[in-house]
Amino acid sequence: MPNREYPYYFIKLGKLYYVYHSYKNVKKKEVSSYEFTNDESLAFPIDEESAKQLADECGGHIVTKNATFNDYISQGEIWNNFLYSKKRTYGESISLINIDEWLG
């Protein structure tokens, strides 16, 4: 059944797709950062339960995709290569804002 399609999910916030999030403990407060992209091909494919939780956390909505298992694996590889290239370019810590300044 190589052509059988299975559902997987993206999180969409406006015109942006979820890529990843990180947690940091700053001054004894846990802070979450989310990264989004306008390029659907770089979106992170996730399972339904995780999609529901993440949509609640970031205020996005769930987009259902149907694809073959190989297509799903390809989507994950594209996402992984994107993150790897960002880490190579920007270093291990990718900071969207200065957390200390933001917390005051």
Side-chain angles (χ1 to χ4, degrees):
M1 293 196 226
N3 294 325
R4 181 175 174 197
E5 291 192 347
Y6 301 90
Y8 65 95
Y9 306 89
F10 291 149
I11 301 301
K12 193 169 182 186
L13 187 61
K15 295 180 180 182
L16 302 175
Y17 294 89
Y18 168 79
V19 177
Y20 75 96
H21 71 275
S22 62
Y23 298 101
K24 294 183 181 186
N25 191 336
V26 179
K27 296 184 182 178
K28 299 183 182 181
K29 294 182 183 178
E30 189 170 286
V31 178
S32 296
S33 294
Y34 298 87
E35 181 164 331
F36 291 84
T37 180
N38 61 353
D39 185 348
E40 182 180 304
S41 72
L42 301 175
F44 179 60
I46 53 181
D47 62 87
E48 185 176 18
E49 186 176 322
S50 298
K52 289 177 184 177
Q53 180 181 354
L54 192 54
D56 286 344
E57 286 177 19
C58 69
H61 70 274
I62 299 170
V63 176
T64 304
K65 296 290 183 175
N66 289 306
T68 65
F69 183 73
N70 287 338
D71 291 338
Y72 174 78
I73 296 299
S74 293
Q75 178 70 31
E77 288 174 347
I78 291 168
W79 171 82
N80 190 48
N81 290 337
F82 171 69
L83 283 188
Y84 178 73
S85 70
K86 283 188 66 125
K87 286 183 179 182
R88 262 195 351 231
T89 303
Y90 299 108
E92 279 301 310
S93 176
I94 303 168
S95 178
L96 303 178
I97 59 173
N98 181 332
I99 297 293
D100 290 327
E101 184 177 304
W102 181 68
L103 289 175

